[in-house]
Every structure is written in C-alpha cells, then in structure tokens.
Amino acid sequence: EIQNRAERKLPPPRAAFREIVQHEPYPVESKARDILQKLKEGGITRFLLLFRGSRSRSEVVATFLAILDLCKTNSVTLEDDPGGENPNVRLLDKHPREEMT
C-alpha cells in the first residue's frame, strides 16, 4: 500500500506530454530577415500580411517580436491607416541618426 501511494505522488513521465505539448521555437532574427527581404522587394506592405502563411503560434509570436525589434532599430515604421486596424509597414532608407553630443 505504501509503495502504491509513493508511485501516485511521482510526476508523470515526460513522454506522456510529448503529444500534447510540442515546443517549436521560431527564431526572431530569422523572421526579421524575412520581413526585411519582403520590404526590400516591395518597400511597403500591410501589417497583417506579414502574418500570412505562419504555420505555428511560435512563428506568429516571432513575427510580432521581429516587427517590434525592426521598429526599435528604425529599420521600419508603422503608418496609420484610416480604419486603424491594419497599418502599413514601410522600410526606412536611412539608419538611425547618431545623436550629437
């Protein structure tokens, strides 16, 4: 009886979760390169179009983080649209200016 209780307190083996949780990381840097390449070809695209073709939640998150990172580094800018739901993403030609000291 004691042995049965001890076995019930053990956590389930990792193999039990293999089918439920599949971690599929998608590198943000790779997605940022993809976005820049797409913008170099067209110069401008709609925000939601950048998510088209994403095959996993990880890729959607990587796309969003890549856009944030590209905005932070002044590589791209988001432009308002009349509806406010799907802004344009535009490639910036200039690198961020260094502040004069």
Side-chain angles (χ1 to χ4, degrees), residues 12 16 26 32 46 56 59 61 75 81 86 92 101:
Y26 198 99
R46 293 295 217 172
S56 66
E59 189 173 356
V61 171
S75 298
D81 73 329
N86 192 11
L92 294 176
T101 55

Side-chain angles (χ1 to χ4, degrees), residues 28 32 35 51 60-71:
V28 175
I35 291 170
F51 295 91
V60 170
V61 171
T63 301
F64 182 74
L65 292 176
I67 294 167
L68 288 179
D69 190 49
L70 291 170
C71 287

Side-chain angles (χ1 to χ4, degrees), residues 14-52:
R14 286 183 175 247
F17 295 99
R18 194 166 285 140
E19 294 296 320
I20 299 171
V21 179
Q22 295 180 352
H23 184 63
E24 187 180 312
Y26 198 99
V28 175
E29 297 82 16
S30 173
K31 197 52 150 172
R33 281 191 302 272
D34 292 347
I35 291 170
L36 284 175
Q37 183 62 35
K38 180 180 263 188
L39 289 173
K40 283 178 184 177
E41 293 169 3
I44 191 168
T45 189
R46 293 295 217 172
F47 180 76
L48 294 178
L49 288 177
L50 295 173
F51 295 91
R52 185 175 286 170

Side-chain angles (χ1 to χ4, degrees), residues 89-101:
V89 180
R90 181 182 300 273
L91 181 65
L92 294 176
D93 293 332
K94 298 180 182 179
H95 295 287
R97 296 181 187 176
E98 294 181 20
E99 292 185 26
M100 300 177 95
T101 55

